[in-house]
Amino acid sequence: MCFYGKTMLACYNNIDSINKQIENLIIKKAKNSFYGCNSALAIAEELINLGEVRLDLMELKDITLQALSKMKDEDRILLEYKYFKIIPNIENFDHTSRNYFRKQVRAILRFHNVLEKMGFTEKWFFDKYLKIAFIKGAYQKTLKEEGKKYVQ
């Protein structure tokens, strides 16, 4: 199953607020650096690392949007409903039927296939994003929901 794809979708809505928090943290750390006892080099490295995390999160959001835009409308609508709470304007949309849940499973598998065709694999996700605590926590939550144990 595509756990990293589910994690990407689950994190999507929160990325902007996390980025805003990181931005505020960077500003506070830069202003308070005058009073700190760390070297200028250590402070600069910390600010650069926070900036890189911010850029990585923005990239993750863009990749998620690109992958969703390459999907068929039906699959995209199902994923947007489940993960982004966007209610579709379709007449025969029934989110309580058994067929809906089967379609959700197929949609997430198709999302995974689109990510892989774009070159974004599970290894890429682990190497680049599991170092971010927010993403790592969301990934662990996804695994827990699926009944798997986190192994890393």
Side-chain angles (χ1 to χ4, degrees):
M1 201 64 185
C2 179
F3 300 119
Y4 77 97
K6 286 184 176 185
T7 304
M8 290 171 68
L9 290 167
C11 292
Y12 180 85
N13 282 338
N14 298 321
I15 287 177
D16 288 333
S17 63
I18 297 293
N19 268 340
K20 187 66 177 163
Q21 291 173 10
I22 292 172
E23 180 182 340
N24 290 337
L25 183 64
I26 290 171
I27 291 168
K28 285 180 183 177
K29 283 189 178 279
K31 286 181 180 178
N32 293 333
S33 65
F34 178 75
Y35 303 106
C37 56
N38 293 338
S39 70
L41 179 62
I43 293 169
E45 286 175 347
E46 186 178 6
L47 295 177
I48 289 169
N49 288 338
L50 287 170
E52 287 175 354
V53 167
R54 209 167 157 257
L55 290 174
D56 286 346
L57 288 173
M58 287 190 284
E59 180 187 29
L60 185 68
K61 186 173 181 176
D62 289 342
I63 290 167
T64 305
L65 273 178
Q66 288 173 13
L68 283 171
S69 68
K70 291 182 179 186
M71 295 181 70
K72 293 180 182 175
D73 285 343
E74 181 185 10
D75 293 333
R76 183 181 42 78
I77 288 169
L78 288 168
L79 293 176
E80 286 175 349
Y81 177 74
K82 180 175 182 179
Y83 291 99
F84 309 150
K85 308 298 184 232
I86 297 173
I87 299 172
N89 293 331
I90 299 174
E91 288 182 25
N92 296 328
F93 184 75
D94 183 16
H95 64 281
T96 58
S97 72
R98 294 179 75 180
N99 198 23
Y100 164 78
F101 296 102
R102 289 185 196 112
K103 287 180 180 179
Q104 276 289 347
V105 170
R106 284 190 295 246
I108 197 70
L109 288 174
R110 289 182 183 132
F111 181 72
H112 174 73
N113 290 337
V114 168
L115 286 173
E116 294 227 325
K117 284 180 185 174
M118 291 171 60
F120 303 115
T121 62
E122 191 172 42
K123 182 183 178 339
W124 159 84
F125 181 80
F126 285 172
D127 293 344
K128 188 157 187 169
Y129 294 104
L130 279 191
K131 65 184 178 198
I132 303 170
F134 162 66
I135 301 293
K136 188 174 186 177
Y139 185 75
Q140 289 172 338
K141 183 179 176 187
T142 301
L143 289 178
K144 187 177 179 183
E145 288 171 356
E146 296 294 326
K148 305 284 182 193
K149 240 186 173 176
Y150 175 68
V151 179
Q152 182 69 8

